[in-house]
Amino acid sequence: MKKLINSLFSPVLFTCLAFAGTDGTIRGKVTDIEGSPLPGANIYVPDVGVGAAADTDGNYIILNIPVGQYDVVVQMMGYQKQTMTEVGVVMDQTVWLNFKLPIAAVEGDEVEVLGTKPLVEKGSTSKKVTVSSEAIQSLPIRDLSELYTLQSGVVKVVSRNKSVPDHEERGLEQIHVKG
């Protein structure tokens, strides 16, 4: 019976050893200096081209990394980029790497943007006229309706025959805008 078990067990053991994993895993947690998790932080191994993003608790896992020594990079917008060098990945084992990222102020050169407005706006289907308060004060007008009539495409129609109740002396005024 013992020979039967050995004869059955030996090929299974040999097969398992032959197909044993040739890669490892890196996992850990990414937090800020105060220990708050940083969800969405990017952790990657540039030499292999694999990586992961931290979950809502800051945890990450990178699977199927070939055995060897690698640099592991972690970065997140608004925080300093960190690189852990010569991380040893061992066959069928997990390497735990926790990162604490300090806040980084992004500094750059001053950028001056100059732009001009096109003479004709292709997407516009209407006309816009802006009159400054200084122009309104300098014009010889008595009320706002007179300002409208100074614009092109606007006509003021006054009718003394038809009038607004209780305002017969004024008549009926209408403003027609073309377009």
Coordinates of all heavy atoms in Angstrom, one line a residue, residues 1 5 28-29 40 58 68 112 121 138 148-149 154 161:
M1 N 0.8 -1.2 0.0 CA 0.0 0.0 0.0 C 0.9 1.3 0.0 O 0.5 2.2 -0.7 CB -0.9 -0.1 1.2 CG -1.8 1.1 1.3 SD -3.1 0.9 0.1 CE -4.2 2.1 0.6
I5 N 0.9 4.5 -2.7 CA 0.8 5.9 -2.4 C 2.0 6.6 -2.9 O 1.9 7.7 -3.4 CB 0.6 6.1 -0.9 CG1 -0.8 5.5 -0.5 CG2 0.7 7.5 -0.5 CD1 -1.0 5.5 1.0
G28 N 0.6 46.7 -0.3 CA 0.8 47.6 0.8 C -0.3 48.6 0.9 O -1.4 48.5 0.4
K29 N 0.1 49.7 1.5 CA -0.9 50.8 1.7 C -0.2 52.2 1.5 O 1.0 52.3 1.8 CB -1.4 50.8 3.2 CG -2.5 51.7 3.5 CD -3.2 51.4 4.8 CE -4.4 52.3 4.9 NZ -5.2 51.9 6.1
G40 N -6.6 56.2 -5.0 CA -6.3 56.6 -6.4 C -4.8 56.8 -6.6 O -4.4 57.1 -7.7
G58 N -6.7 53.1 0.5 CA -5.2 53.2 0.3 C -4.5 52.0 0.0 O -3.3 52.0 -0.2
G68 N 13.1 39.1 -9.0 CA 14.2 40.0 -9.3 C 14.2 41.3 -8.4 O 13.4 41.4 -7.5
E112 N 2.0 83.8 -19.1 CA 1.1 84.9 -19.5 C 0.4 84.4 -20.8 O 1.1 84.0 -21.8 CB 1.9 86.1 -19.8 CG 1.1 87.3 -20.2 CD 2.0 88.6 -20.4 OE1 3.1 88.6 -19.9 OE2 1.5 89.5 -21.0
E121 N -17.8 85.9 -34.8 CA -18.0 84.6 -34.1 C -18.9 83.7 -34.9 O -20.0 84.0 -35.2 CB -18.7 84.9 -32.7 CG -17.8 85.7 -31.8 CD -18.5 85.9 -30.5 OE1 -19.4 85.1 -30.1 OE2 -18.1 86.9 -29.8
S138 N -23.8 110.4 -21.7 CA -23.5 111.4 -22.6 C -24.5 111.6 -23.7 O -24.5 112.6 -24.5 CB -22.1 111.2 -23.2 OG -22.1 110.0 -24.0
Y148 N -32.9 102.3 -26.9 CA -33.2 101.1 -27.9 C -33.2 101.6 -29.3 O -32.7 101.0 -30.2 CB -34.5 100.4 -27.5 CG -34.5 99.7 -26.2 CD1 -35.7 99.6 -25.5 CD2 -33.4 99.1 -25.7 CE1 -35.7 99.0 -24.3 CE2 -33.4 98.5 -24.4 CZ -34.6 98.4 -23.7 OH -34.6 97.8 -22.5
T149 N -33.9 102.7 -29.5 CA -34.2 103.2 -30.9 C -32.9 103.7 -31.6 O -32.9 103.8 -32.8 CB -35.2 104.3 -30.9 OG1 -34.8 105.4 -30.1 CG2 -36.6 103.8 -30.4
V154 N -33.9 98.5 -34.7 CA -34.9 98.7 -33.7 C -35.7 99.9 -34.1 O -35.2 100.9 -34.4 CB -34.3 98.9 -32.3 CG1 -35.3 99.2 -31.2 CG2 -33.4 97.7 -31.9
N161 N -53.8 107.0 -31.3 CA -55.2 106.5 -31.5 C -55.5 105.4 -30.4 O -56.6 105.4 -29.8 CB -55.4 105.9 -32.9 CG -55.2 107.0 -33.9 OD1 -55.3 108.2 -33.7 ND2 -54.9 106.5 -35.2

